[in-house]
Amino acid sequence: MAVNNSVDPAAWLTQQIEHGDPDLLRSMVKSMAETPVSAEADGLCGAGYGRRSEDRTNRRNGYRSRDWDTRAGTVEHTSFEEMLDTEGPANVNPDSPREEQLANIRRIYGPAKEALGVLAIEVERVEQ
């Protein structure tokens, strides 16, 4: 079974902004951490969450609470172009070319927002 472990960043970010989560960074880390874990579980099970499949090899039996310590860092940029060039388009979204990423970001955030500055957030797991 092919597992889609990619998130459409433009759609995801638009959804986060529309819901107006007061703790956006925590919500972003949570979503970005859960997506690949869920995709891995789908692959191991042979079917997506809640889906029936002839290829299913086992089933999920619920979720367990797990602590996951992270460290978030931030980097400020003057424009979306500078952010993509500095961070590398493949590090922002490996499935989308630079120009498409730039167009998507600018569709969500207009020139007035970009003029305020651009903030890149990096999240890494803290090893215990």
Side-chain angles (χ1 to χ4, degrees):
M1 174 184 150
V3 177
N4 179 8
N5 63 355
S6 179
V7 175
D8 176 16
W12 180 84
L13 188 55
T14 300
Q15 180 184 18
Q16 297 302 312
I17 292 168
E18 287 173 353
H19 285 92
D21 188 342
D23 194 353
L24 184 59
L25 180 57
R26 182 184 305 266
S27 176
M28 290 170 62
V29 171
K30 182 177 186 291
S31 294
M32 291 301 175
E34 287 176 347
T35 299
V37 171
S38 180
E40 181 180 8
D42 290 349
L44 292 172
C45 291
Y49 179 73
R51 299 235 165 100
R52 296 183 182 273
S53 169
E54 297 295 322
D55 297 329
R56 182 176 285 282
T57 57
N58 57 16
R59 61 187 171 88
R60 295 182 182 196
N61 64 355
Y63 292 90
R64 289 153 196 83
S65 178
R66 293 177 180 90
D67 290 334
W68 193 55
D69 293 326
T70 62
R71 176 180 19 242
T74 57
V75 179
E76 291 188 41
H77 301 285
T78 58
S79 69
F80 296 131
E81 288 187 64
E82 179 192 323
M83 184 267 301
L84 286 173
D85 292 341
T86 303
E87 302 298 328
N91 292 326
V92 177
N93 179 4
D95 298 328
S96 180
R98 179 189 182 279
E99 293 307 315
E100 183 179 324
Q101 291 182 48
L102 188 57
N104 287 337
I105 293 169
R106 286 187 168 148
R107 187 176 62 240
I108 296 169
Y109 297 107
K113 296 287 186 181
E114 184 173 3
L116 297 173
V118 178
L119 188 65
I121 300 169
E122 175 187 25
V123 178
E124 78 179 71
R125 182 175 185 179
V126 178
E127 298 299 324
Q128 297 182 357

